[in-house]
Amino acid sequence: MIRRPPRSTLSSSSAASDVYKRQMYCRWGIDMGDAWRILEGYADGRTQIDHPGDGDMSYWEHPFDIHLATSSIAGWPRIHVQVWREDFFGRKELAGYGFGFIPTTVGEHKLEISCWKPTDASQNDALKASLLGGGPVLLNENVIHQQEDRFRLYTETAGTVVVEAGVILKDFEQHGVEVNRYLDP
């Protein structure tokens, strides 16, 4: 008998941000451990730019579909997001970074990913950024979902990204991993 590796499928039908700015878009990616591999789909992507009214949320309704296989549950997948704003001149400005773990249970889930962004350490840099736009961004994007150097950053909260995700797990029980298939309402 051939034993297939456990598989996980993640799909999403919508995402929104409560960072109240105009012309927002989201770059997203799936990060996973070395035991995981992609069978189908893309590990990253970008939404369209949304133009909400004043005080409204940005809604992206951007589907993604990824099928994974694993030989170990170590390095469980997580989603990381970068929310960006485009101004009238086409300049891009960071609105926030965030990440969340992909649920370990089967079914439909609503992930609320808290976002943050780096701030300027000096008053002069903060004044310059408020007048001219821009501001600090991460040179190493792994800091978004890895904790090694994040404690050294000056940050501020930057809203929430909501991801509605469906998770399907297959063949985990055959490999000795118990999966809770039913959630209490």
Side-chain angles (χ1 to χ4, degrees):
M1 180 171 128
I2 298 174
R3 295 188 73 187
R4 293 186 174 169
R7 295 178 183 209
S8 173
T9 300
L10 171 71
S11 62
S12 172
S13 60
S14 68
S17 169
D18 66 357
V19 181
Y20 296 104
K21 293 186 179 180
R22 292 181 169 235
Q23 297 179 304
M24 306 286 284
Y25 67 93
C26 181
R27 290 179 46 204
W28 59 269
I30 305 291
D31 179 62
M32 61 201 108
D34 293 334
W36 294 79
R37 63 185 163 82
I38 298 172
L39 297 177
E40 291 180 311
Y42 297 102
D44 57 11
R46 180 189 154 176
T47 68
Q48 82 283 356
I49 296 175
D50 186 31
H51 301 275
D54 290 334
D56 290 340
M57 292 174 55
S58 292
Y59 289 93
W60 296 304
E61 297 294 334
H62 182 80
F64 60 89
D65 191 8
I66 185 167
H67 301 253
L68 306 170
T70 185
S71 58
S72 169
I73 60 172
W76 193 266
R78 52 194 159 200
I79 184 169
H80 55 89
V81 296
Q82 297 180 30
V83 181
W84 292 82
R85 175 185 171 274
E86 188 172 286
D87 70 9
F88 180 75
F89 300 106
R91 295 178 298 193
K92 284 131 180 89
E93 181 178 337
L94 176 70
Y97 297 111
F99 84 95
F101 285 95
I102 301 301
T104 58
T105 56
V106 174
E108 297 292 321
H109 303 276
K110 186 176 187 178
L111 306 173
E112 294 187 11
I113 300 172
S114 297
C115 293
W116 53 273
K117 68 179 187 174
T119 59
D120 294 299
S122 74
Q123 294 290 344
N124 288 338
D125 289 340
L127 178 62
K128 184 173 79 174
S130 69
L131 296 174
L132 301 176
V137 296
L138 297 176
L139 296 176
N140 180 2
E141 294 178 1
N142 288 337
V143 175
I144 298 171
H145 51 83
Q146 295 175 350
Q147 301 179 32
E148 288 85 29
D149 293 324
R150 199 177 328 147
F151 68 92
R152 298 177 192 191
L153 298 174
Y154 292 97
T155 64
E156 64 185 11
T157 58
T160 305
V161 171
V162 178
V163 177
E164 294 175 357
V167 176
I168 300 170
L169 302 176
K170 182 177 182 240
D171 297 335
F172 276 75
E173 293 89 355
Q174 293 177 1
H175 295 274
V177 179
E178 291 184 26
V179 178
N180 182 7
R181 297 219 177 259
Y182 303 102
L183 299 175
D184 293 331

